[in-house]
Amino acid sequence: MEHTKKFSPGTSAIVFLLFAGFLYICVWSPSNPLLPFDQPNGSPKNFTAVEFAVKDELDLALEEASMRNKTVIIAVVNRAYVEQSVNVETTMLDLFLESFWLGEDTRPLLDHLLLVAVDQTAYDRCMFKRLHCYRLVTEGVDFGEEKVFMSRDFIKMMWRRTFFLTEVLRRGYSFIFTDTDVVWLRNPFTKLSLNKTDDLQISVDKYFGSRRPEHNLINTGFYYIRSNNKTISLFDKWYSLKDNSTRKKEQDVLLDLLRHGVVTELDLRVRFLETRHFSGFCEDSKDVGAVTTVHANCCRHINAKVRDLTAVLRDWKRFKAALTKYPKAARNITRSFGWSPHVGCLNSWKPQTLT
């Protein structure tokens, strides 16, 4: 009877080491005589190196929220926008999200919304709502409290936002940026130019029917921008003026750029969005049959915005209910519609009295 030969542990180890060395010489060694001659860069001919790119948290967040064409919807929130005040019945974030529920063809868009939280409370609330969330950390700065319009901290937060959005463009993502004090009543993509010719489509406080930048008061609270070399250069140039623009918010600096030749310099195509579709408290849309978004602009405090946007959604629900109940009277209902007065925001500009 034949007996199988048994190798001692020491012999097995030696055999393994010799085999591993042979593999290194034949396969991995850059001086391997069995491979074609070395290239000038040290890589063997026809040899493709496999690189594994390490994705950071922002990459992953953008990927999860992105549409197939690398487009996302971005909003920035802080604690003041997600926590309920004792003086109002809801939060700005809740109103914003409710508008996606009530709007026409807007619910699926929540799958592509990325909420950027500038403090931990806002991030925790975002995660609790099971949304796409990203935590934007700024060392040594507390962006959690309400930043009153044109205050020093408000301006700082706006510039931090601009820097972040520049990074999004660099990563190849086009996006709609929307403030959370904008309610979405219809899908805005149906009113935006998607033919890849317009680089920037931006809302205005008042629409004068002109394509010229000097004739429009832009509002950076809602815009759609395509990622390309031109728009990245625009944002780089915009942010570079941060320290030379004392007492100016980032919106004013961008307006100055647009009015002083940057459109021609970078060969940009800029479209200013009509307030008929992209409305705001500065100039209400007079056509409820066409209005797409309503922005609580020309307003100073969060509580005032919440009160008046609550009225906007109430008006919208009444309008939709009337259409459902009286479909044959749709034209008359649309013509007779009017928004509730924005009393809270009008009063927000009055001097505050101590009680």
Side-chain angles (χ1 to χ4, degrees):
M1 179 182 294
E2 292 186 357
H3 296 278
T4 304
K5 294 182 179 179
K6 296 182 180 180
F7 293 98
S8 68
T11 304
S12 298
I14 293 172
V15 171
F16 175 78
L17 289 173
L18 289 173
F19 181 69
F22 175 77
L23 282 179
Y24 173 79
I25 293 172
C26 293
V27 179
W28 288 290
S29 174
S31 58
N32 178 10
L34 301 179
L35 288 175
F37 61 90
D38 289 349
Q39 299 297 307
N41 62 2
S43 298
K45 187 176 180 180
N46 297 328
F47 180 84
T48 303
V50 179
E51 296 183 1
F52 296 93
V54 178
K55 295 179 180 179
D56 61 16
E57 290 183 13
L58 179 55
D59 283 323
L60 296 174
L62 289 168
E63 276 188 9
E64 288 179 359
S66 178
M67 302 175 189
R68 291 181 180 179
N69 62 353
K70 292 195 74 174
T71 298
V72 292
I73 301 165
I74 297 176
V76 175
V77 290
N78 67 351
R79 182 169 68 245
Y81 275 63
V82 305
E83 285 191 336
Q84 186 172 326
S85 166
V86 295
N87 299 318
V88 291
E89 296 180 357
T90 187
T91 70
M92 187 71 75
L93 177 61
D94 288 334
L95 276 177
F96 176 66
L97 297 176
E98 185 181 0
S99 73
F100 282 82
W101 176 259
L102 297 173
E104 295 178 3
D105 194 28
T106 50
R107 293 182 190 177
L109 297 179
L110 276 179
D111 291 337
H112 306 293
L113 171 66
L114 176 62
L115 274 186
V116 179
V118 298
D119 60 75
Q120 191 60 41
T121 300
Y123 180 76
D124 291 342
R125 183 63 61 93
C126 177
M127 294 297 291
F128 177 76
K129 291 182 176 296
R130 299 180 182 275
L131 302 167
H132 297 298
C133 312
Y134 176 74
R135 174 73 167 94
L136 180 62
V137 178
T138 305
E139 296 296 336
V141 180
D142 178 18
F143 285 139
E145 300 297 330
E146 177 182 1
K147 305 307 176 188
V148 177
F149 181 73
M150 286 308 294
S151 66
R152 181 178 297 180
D153 284 347
F154 171 86
I155 293 173
K156 280 183 181 179
M157 189 162 69
M158 295 303 100
W159 281 116
R160 182 65 182 93
R161 183 178 83 180
T162 302
F163 183 80
F164 169 77
L165 294 173
T166 305
E167 182 61 26
V168 174
L169 288 176
R170 287 187 191 283
R171 298 183 187 217
Y173 287 88
S174 304
F175 59 83
I176 285 181
F177 176 80
T178 175
D179 280 343
T180 46
D181 61 353
V182 177
V183 292
W184 291 40
L185 304 181
R186 291 185 172 94
N187 184 343
F189 286 103
T190 63
K191 303 298 182 184
L192 295 169
S193 170
L194 304 177
N195 58 9
K196 298 186 178 181
T197 58
D198 290 323
D199 300 300
L200 172 65
Q201 300 174 66
I202 190 165
S203 63
V204 296
D205 287 340
K206 292 184 179 293
Y207 185 70
F208 297 105
S210 172
R211 292 178 175 270
R212 297 176 66 85
E214 59 268 27
H215 295 161
N216 289 281
L217 297 173
I218 64 168
N219 192 304
T220 52
F222 185 95
Y223 60 88
Y224 172 58
I225 188 165
R226 292 194 305 118
S227 175
N228 57 41
N229 290 335
K230 293 186 291 182
T231 56
I232 293 170
S233 295
L234 172 65
F235 270 53
D236 280 340
K237 194 174 188 70
W238 182 16
Y239 187 78
S240 71
L241 298 173
K242 173 177 68 75
D243 296 327
N244 298 322
S245 304
T246 307
R247 295 184 180 178
K248 279 188 176 183
K249 59 183 182 295
E250 60 15 290
Q251 177 175 290
D252 297 332
V253 176
L254 178 59
L255 180 59
D256 287 345
L257 274 175
L258 295 177
R259 287 180 170 178
H260 292 92
V262 76
V263 174
T264 303
E265 177 187 336
L266 298 178
D267 191 29
L268 289 163
R269 288 183 60 90
V270 180
R271 177 188 172 204
F272 302 100
L273 301 173
E274 297 181 43
T275 52
R276 175 173 175 248
H277 301 293
F278 299 91
S279 177
F281 292 173
C282 297
E283 185 172 77
D284 285 322
S285 172
K286 295 178 175 59
D287 187 355
V288 71
V291 67
T292 301
T293 60
V294 179
H295 187 186
N297 51 10
C298 291
C299 193
R300 197 157 186 260
H301 293 292
I302 291 177
N303 285 351
K305 291 172 182 275
V306 169
R307 288 193 185 96
D308 287 351
L309 285 176
T310 299
V312 167
L313 291 184
R314 184 171 60 246
D315 292 342
W316 175 253
K317 286 187 285 187
R318 287 175 177 170
F319 168 71
K320 298 295 289 182
L323 290 182
T324 301
K325 189 173 184 179
Y326 306 106
K328 294 182 179 180
R331 180 175 297 180
N332 289 334
I333 292 170
T334 301
R335 285 178 176 175
S336 61
F337 175 85
W339 300 105
S340 299
H342 313 307
V343 177
C345 286
L346 287 172
N347 291 334
S348 72
W349 296 98
K350 294 179 180 178
Q352 301 295 308
T353 58
L354 297 176
T355 57

